[in-house]
Amino acid sequence: MSHSTLPFIPFTKPTIDEATISAVADVLRSGWITSGPKVLEFENALGEFLEGAAVRCFANGTATMKIALQVAGVGAGDEVITTPISWVATSNVILAVGAKPVFVDIDPNTRNLDLNKVRKAITSRTKAIMPVYLAGLPVNIDELYAIANQHRLRVIEDAAQALGSTWNGKRIGAKGQHDLVSFSFQANKNLTTIEGGCLVFNTERYGTDQVKLAEKLRLQGLVRSGPDGMEVDVLGGKDNLTDVNAVIGLHQLQQLEQFQRKRAILAKYYFDKINQTNLVNKGVRLPIADFENSNWHMFQIILPLQPLGKTRSQVMLALKELGIGTGVHYPIITNFELYRRLGYSPDSTPIAAEIGCSILTLPLFPSMSTADIDRVISGLEVVLA
Ligand SMILES: *Cc1c(COP(=O)(O)O)cnc(C)c1O
């Protein structure tokens, strides 16, 4: 069986319509192309999407999370509990502010932090918990905040993949339910601005001081005051979003619910079709079918590599030859050389170590068809036979 004449199916692809492209051209012609009115408009639209929460935008998700840690007062000597199955940005920013990432093992079903193990990892140095919502599936938010409140910890939610996901019927980041929540608008995310990110603040609890600090940190520590109209009183970076990116975000936000509906339909189709095959009997493990809370950022399976006698790379290459793109999200962070040098090892989190080697992201994006999914599944049947 050869699919070589059929178009390649990437594991993801952004959906950018012509109205978005014209709006970008309008901004480029307007005479103001960096941070300006479109960023403000986008921040307000995101705030509205999140039931009135205070939102500020940044150049990317990584900068957003670093500023979130700074705003929460995380620094040298502090420990931050997080998951080893994430994009390395999550723990890199913890190191970048001088704190220590403490990696806790994951739940094999959700592939997110195991909150029971989080409880056991809390020490007198623990300052914050940084959970990640892999593929858009949140952790149990009630339990997360019960732990944080009991131990007086800050929470920085790495919700990079979870815009539009929900808990208790409210969107992740919705006003009143969270501490600091960081989203990414990188090209592969459910809503993209090419690169970008935003942070949601808990102003009911902490007022607006942390919002003002984040605004300073994203632009050289600058405040508009003093005889020259500017003053610098903290060390900030250059992490502002541009109006060109923001206008893309405004258009994406209008389409987000439609994108989400399509993602859910495609995910449902994956479950239905895979369950008609013997892939699960062969040892393929499916994600949790959470159509209540997940935004279906990704559809990830766990490969039965041992019985198969193949490596994940071999599986990926064989699928690629059939015109099917796949991804690895993610290899375990503690196996990276930098982290090994710092004394970390995958051995301390055995479930994450196993999943990091065997997780595979299948194609899922709004412009995909169910016929594409049929091709992915028959490709898997061939390659895993
Ligand atoms: C995308 C992503 C980030 C980083 O976002 P960037 O915008 O690429 O800097 C962080 N954490 C997770 C889980 C992500 O998926």
Side-chain angles (χ1 to χ4, degrees):
M1 187 168 78
S2 172
H3 290 299
S4 57
T5 56
L6 293 168
F8 187 77
I9 307 169
F11 81 82
T12 190
K13 193 167 131 185
T15 305
I16 307 285
D17 65 8
E18 288 305 316
T20 307
I21 295 169
S22 315
V24 167
D26 290 344
V27 171
L28 290 173
R29 290 188 193 102
S30 73
W32 192 272
I33 58 178
T34 187
S35 308
K38 292 296 173 191
V39 170
L40 281 178
E41 208 183 311
F42 186 38
E43 288 175 341
N44 289 335
L46 288 164
E48 210 168 293
F49 185 74
L50 299 174
E51 301 187 31
V55 179
R56 292 296 179 272
C57 287
F58 303 89
N60 53 64
T62 306
T64 305
M65 292 195 297
K66 186 180 170 203
I67 288 173
L69 287 165
Q70 291 174 298
V71 154
V74 177
D78 295 329
E79 293 178 356
V80 180
I81 294 173
T82 192
T83 167
I85 298 294
S86 181
W87 178 226
V88 69
T90 310
S91 53
N92 277 355
V93 294
I94 298 170
L95 292 175
V97 299
K100 180 183 170 191
V102 172
F103 295 102
V104 163
D105 213 349
I106 59 173
D107 174 315
N109 298 311
T110 64
R111 303 148 186 184
N112 284 327
L113 269 182
D114 181 331
L115 294 177
N116 288 319
K117 291 177 184 158
V118 167
R119 281 184 191 279
K120 295 185 187 121
I122 294 169
T123 72
S124 58
R125 288 174 179 267
T126 308
K127 178 90 182 188
I129 308 172
M130 201 162 181
V132 174
Y133 307 149
L134 193 68
L137 182 73
V139 300
N140 183 320
I141 301 289
D142 302 325
E143 205 181 319
L144 170 69
Y145 280 93
I147 297 169
N149 291 333
Q150 187 190 339
H151 296 272
R152 299 173 171 276
L153 304 175
R154 293 300 299 258
V155 177
I156 295 114
E157 299 179 45
D158 180 354
Q161 305 182 1
L163 189 69
S165 298
T166 59
W167 185 259
N168 287 339
K170 280 175 176 285
R171 292 184 176 120
I172 296 297
K175 187 174 181 169
Q177 199 171 221
H178 303 268
D179 190 352
L180 292 159
V181 186
S182 172
F183 294 103
S184 166
F185 308 134
Q186 184 266 345
N188 291 346
K189 303 301 198 289
N190 288 22
L191 179 157
T192 185
T193 61
I194 309 177
E195 301 287 353
C198 78
L199 186 62
V200 184
F201 299 83
N202 182 346
T203 49
E204 297 102 286
R205 181 143 174 199
Y206 297 103
T208 55
D209 287 358
Q210 301 190 348
V211 182
K212 286 181 194 142
L213 177 58
E215 286 174 346
K216 284 199 274 187
L217 291 171
R218 80 178 160 184
L219 202 75
Q220 315 292 2
L222 192 77
V223 274
R224 301 278 167 200
S225 75
D228 299 321
M230 17 179 148
E231 182 58 272
V232 175
D233 64 354
V234 290
L235 177 63
K238 184 68 167 67
D239 297 319
N240 54 307
L241 190 75
T242 79
D243 268 20
V244 175
N245 299 100
V247 81
I248 299 173
L250 279 164
H251 280 255
Q252 289 267 300
L253 190 57
Q254 283 173 14
Q255 299 167 85
L256 188 62
E257 285 193 45
Q258 176 193 322
F259 292 164
Q260 227 92 287
R261 275 195 295 276
K262 185 68 189 292
R263 284 179 177 276
I265 288 168
L266 295 170
K268 179 80 170 52
Y269 193 82
Y270 261 121
F271 282 110
D272 291 348
K273 285 287 166 162
I274 289 176
N275 285 325
Q276 289 167 25
T277 69
N278 70 348
L279 286 168
V280 172
N281 285 337
K282 283 225 168 87
V284 169
R285 276 137 65 195
L286 300 181
I288 288 183
D290 188 342
F291 286 89
E292 191 75 30
N293 296 307
S294 179
N295 67 357
W296 294 104
H297 172 59
M298 295 190 282
F299 192 94
Q300 299 181 291
I301 60 170
I302 311 289
L303 295 168
L305 293 175
Q306 283 220 328
L308 200 61
K310 280 183 187 165
T311 65
R312 176 172 54 195
S313 300
Q314 288 170 331
V315 170
M316 292 175 78
L317 189 63
L319 287 168
K320 194 176 172 194
E321 279 164 3
L322 297 174
I324 299 157
T326 52
V328 175
H329 305 91
Y330 294 94
I332 190 166
I333 291 173
T334 47
N335 204 30
F336 287 131
E337 196 184 317
L338 168 68
Y339 286 84
R340 283 197 169 271
R341 240 192 288 137
L342 293 171
Y344 294 103
S345 158
D347 299 343
S348 65
T349 56
I351 297 168
E354 196 258 324
I355 286 179
C357 293
S358 52
I359 197 163
L360 187 73
T361 306
L362 301 181
L364 179 64
F365 50 91
S367 61
M368 199 179 170
S369 68
T370 51
D372 291 332
I373 294 182
D374 290 336
R375 269 182 68 198
V376 174
I377 293 169
S378 33
L380 279 172
E381 288 186 283
V382 170
V383 173
L384 302 185

